[in-house]
Amino acid sequence: MKPVDTQSQLIDDIDRRLIQATQGGLPLTPRPYHQIAEQMGLSAEEVMARLQRMLATGMIRRIGAVPNHYALGYRINGMTVWDVPDEQIDELGQQVGALEFVSHCYRRRRYPPKWPYNLFAMVHGQTAAQVEAQIQIIAQVLGEFNRGHQVLYSTRILKKTGLRI
Amino acid sequence: MDAIARKIINQLQGDFPITEQPYAQVAAQLEITEDELLQQLTNLLDQGLLSRFGPLYHAERLGGGLTLAAMPVPETDFEQVAAQVNAFPEVAHNYARNHELNMWFILATEQPERIDEVIQEIEAQTGLPVYNMPKQAEYYLRLKLEV
C-alpha cells in the first residue's frame, strides 16, 4: 500500500480544480474571477479567497503577465554553470543572484568529475557580446572562488508548456 | 511594440489584483480604458510577446516535485529522443543546449516521488543516462523583465 503523502494534502480537490482552470491563464473578460467561478460551480468569493490564500502561502508566486524573453528580443539565453566551494556558495549565490541581468540563480547537485558545477545562473541578452560581458561580471563577483565554469547556450526550444497538473 | 504595450507589460508583471473588476482597476492606473487593456493583452498573447497571463504556481509549495535534468543525446537520435522525452506530460520545458549534455528539461510532478519514476522511465525508453540536478538552494528567481 502506498504511504500517505502528507505534502499532497496541502491543497484539496477544489484547489486542484482551480489550478487546472487557471494554469493556462486568466480569462480576458471584465470579471475574470466570476467567470472561473461560474465554470467551476463556485461563488466568486470562494474563488477569490482561495487564490488569496495560495498567494499568501507562496503557492502562487504572483498573478500577472509572463514575458517571453525570446520574443521580446532577448534571443541569447545562456545557462552559466560554476564550480565554487560549498562553504562559500550561499554567500556567492546571493551576490550573483543580485545582479540585475541574472534571471534565476540556484545551487544544484554536482556529478563529479564529469559535471563539477554547483552554481547555476541564467542570463539573457539581446546580443552575444552583451551576454559575454555579463559572464565576465559574474566571474569578477566570484573572483578566486571560481574553480571553473562553462556557458551552455540554448540552441532550440524543444518544449515549453509550463506547469501542468 | 508601442509605448502603451511596453507600459502594460511592465505594469502587469506585478501584482494583478484579486477583485471583482481587476482589469478596470489596472486600466485606471495606466490611464487607459478597460477595453483597451483587454485588447492589448489579447494582442500581446497572440503575438507571443507574453507567454501567459495569470497565476504563476510554485510547484514545490503546492507539494509537488520539480527538478532540472540533462541527457547526453547522440546527434543522430536527437529528434527521436526529443519526441520520447516531450511525450511525458511531466516535462514542462525542454531545451537543446551546446554541450555534451545537450538536452535539458524541467520535470514538474504532482507527487514528489514521481520525479524518480519519470527519470527511470525516460532512461528505460531512450537507453540514455539522465543526470538529475535537483535544486539545493534558490538564491534568486527574477519574475520581471523591464521592456
Side-chain angles (χ1 to χ4, degrees):
Chain A
M1 206 171 73
K2 236 180 153 183
V4 175
D5 176 12
T6 50
Q7 280 216 304
S8 63
Q9 292 162 5
L10 292 171
I11 57 168
D12 64 15
D13 283 343
I14 297 177
D15 287 331
R16 179 169 290 107
R17 284 174 50 218
L18 181 57
I19 295 166
Q20 284 165 347
T22 55
Q23 64 194 355
L26 279 185
L28 295 170
T29 51
R31 303 202 307 164
Y33 305 115
H34 288 65
Q35 185 175 323
I36 294 161
E38 208 166 296
Q39 285 164 13
M40 293 180 63
L42 299 173
S43 71
E45 288 65 36
E46 179 160 15
V47 163
M48 291 195 276
R50 282 176 181 268
L51 289 172
Q52 289 284 13
R53 182 178 60 82
M54 286 197 273
L55 249 184
T57 54
M59 292 179 181
I60 293 176
R61 288 185 186 266
R62 67 184 170 89
I63 301 178
V66 180
N68 179 343
H69 280 85
Y70 191 85
L72 287 164
Y74 291 81
R75 306 254 147 128
I76 317 288
N77 154 339
M79 184 174 76
T80 74
V81 295
W82 309 79
D83 172 15
V84 302
D86 291 342
E87 302 71 46
Q88 270 83 31
I89 193 168
D90 287 336
E91 198 191 323
L92 296 169
Q94 277 155 21
Q95 288 174 23
V96 171
L99 298 168
E100 47 88 23
F101 53 80
V102 171
S103 68
H104 347 315
C105 186
Y106 298 126
R107 177 181 183 177
R108 296 191 179 277
R109 67 161 289 189
R110 316 168 189 261
Y111 282 87
K114 209 176 168 96
W115 187 262
Y117 310 107
N118 56 346
L119 183 65
F120 285 56
M122 192 66 74
V123 299
H124 305 268
Q126 288 159 322
T127 63
Q130 199 181 12
V131 170
E132 289 299 330
Q134 292 170 348
I135 294 161
Q136 290 313 309
I137 294 171
I138 298 176
Q140 277 168 23
V141 167
L142 297 177
E144 58 172 318
F145 296 119
N146 173 20
R147 299 187 298 206
H149 73 275
Q150 285 193 20
V151 185
L152 282 68
Y153 290 102
S154 69
T155 51
R156 206 143 52 96
I157 299 173
L158 305 169
K159 186 176 184 183
K160 189 168 178 148
T161 51
L163 174 69
R164 287 286 183 273
I165 70 164
Chain B
M1 194 169 49
D2 60 14
I4 190 69
R6 255 173 235 285
K7 222 170 129 185
I8 288 170
I9 293 177
N10 288 334
Q11 172 82 21
L12 282 187
Q13 292 176 61
D15 304 307
F16 189 68
I18 302 177
T19 53
E20 181 156 352
Q21 291 185 273
Y23 294 107
Q25 209 174 315
V26 172
Q29 286 165 10
L30 290 166
E31 298 175 326
I32 56 175
T33 65
E34 183 184 38
D35 276 351
E36 189 178 352
L37 175 59
L38 289 168
Q39 190 54 53
Q40 288 268 6
L41 266 178
T42 305
N43 294 345
L44 291 169
L45 286 163
D46 287 348
Q47 292 163 14
L49 294 172
L50 296 179
S51 335
R52 219 164 63 76
F53 179 79
L56 187 62
Y57 288 100
H58 191 320
E60 294 130 306
R61 294 268 172 88
L62 290 170
L66 192 71
T67 198
L68 173 69
M71 280 170 100
V73 184
E75 282 305 327
T76 47
D77 301 338
F78 198 84
E79 298 307 317
Q80 189 202 332
V81 172
Q84 285 173 321
V85 169
N86 290 350
F88 283 84
E90 292 89 353
V91 174
H93 301 256
N94 189 1
Y95 287 87
R97 294 192 179 277
N98 63 336
H99 188 269
E100 185 191 336
L101 293 173
N102 53 357
M103 190 178 290
W104 289 78
F105 47 92
I106 297 281
L107 292 177
T109 61
E110 265 195 84
Q111 304 296 333
E113 59 272 22
R114 178 77 186 131
I115 293 282
D116 286 341
E117 291 170 10
V118 174
I119 285 176
Q120 283 165 24
E121 289 166 24
I122 291 174
E123 287 183 328
Q125 276 191 27
T126 62
L128 297 168
V130 173
Y131 290 71
N132 182 18
M133 300 189 195
K135 179 172 82 182
Q136 296 173 319
E138 177 173 305
Y139 302 116
Y140 202 80
L141 172 62
R142 194 171 307 271
L143 297 168
K144 298 183 187 181
L145 173 71
E146 268 317 291
V147 297

